[in-house]
């Protein structure tokens, strides 16, 4: 425990790149958490880092990233939508749609009371990277 805590305070050779103070604040925002052990803080930070790395790598490999040699938001949202492991992120990484298309959907919803399946037909035409 002490060796790990000592290494955490070092500058260059830090074992995690996420700011521990911010992670502590997020953890403390939970009403069930009263105090946070230094090792628990470190492990949460490291696990978060590894998860983000896994999400990014998976999204890059399975998205259009390889073609463009870049990771795009569309790659991330597609992963959240399609991969069961990441589906819990679907609300956080929603698929981008054009504002005009969204307004049309709202209009149709008002008229029909619910969005119908017809709306999904023209989704393929749209370039995912359009904003």
């Amino acid at each position: 425990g002490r060796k790990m805590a000592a290494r955490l305070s070092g500058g260059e050779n830090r074992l995690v790149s996420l700011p521990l103070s911010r992670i502590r604040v997020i953890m403390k925002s939970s009403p069930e958490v009263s105090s946070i052990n230094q090792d628990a803080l470190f492990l949460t930070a490291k696990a978060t880092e590894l998860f983000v790395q896994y999400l990014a790598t998976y999204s890059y490999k399975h998205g259009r990233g390889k073609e463009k040699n870049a990771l795009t938001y569309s790659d991330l949202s597609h992963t959240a939508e399609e991969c069961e492991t990441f589906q819990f992120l679907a609300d956080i990484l929603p698929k981008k749609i054009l504002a005009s298309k969204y307004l049309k959907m709202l209009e149709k919803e008002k008229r029909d009371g619910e969005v119908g399946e017809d709306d999904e037909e023209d989704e393929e035409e749209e370039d995912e990277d359009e904003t």
Side-chain angles (χ1 to χ4, degrees), residues 27-82:
M27 290 171 77
K28 282 201 166 208
S29 71
S30 174
E32 299 92 47
V33 175
S34 54
S35 67
I36 298 161
N37 172 304
Q38 191 68 11
D39 289 346
L41 178 63
F42 169 77
L43 291 171
T44 301
K46 195 65 187 171
T48 303
E49 222 169 80
L50 292 171
F51 173 77
V52 170
Q53 187 178 6
Y54 177 56
L55 170 64
T57 305
Y58 185 96
S59 299
Y60 179 82
K61 285 180 182 170
H62 295 85
R64 290 180 169 170
K66 288 180 294 200
E67 300 165 20
K68 299 177 179 181
N69 205 21
L71 177 63
T72 65
Y73 179 88
S74 294
D75 295 334
L76 293 168
S77 65
H78 182 75
T79 296
E81 192 178 15
E82 300 299 322

Side-chain angles (χ1 to χ4, degrees), residues 89-116:
L89 294 172
D91 292 344
I92 298 166
L93 292 166
K95 191 173 167 187
K96 281 186 180 179
I97 63 168
L98 296 172
S100 57
K101 189 170 183 177
Y102 179 70
L103 292 172
K104 281 182 197 167
M105 283 169 52
L106 284 180
E107 275 303 312
K108 187 164 175 46
E109 204 170 289
K110 277 184 199 168
R111 285 196 313 269
D112 304 352
E114 200 175 301
V115 176

Side-chain angles (χ1 to χ4, degrees), residues 5-20:
R7 274 198 262 168
L8 290 176
S9 56
E12 253 61 59
N13 62 352
R14 284 183 52 183
L15 298 172
V16 290
S17 51
L18 294 172
L20 295 176

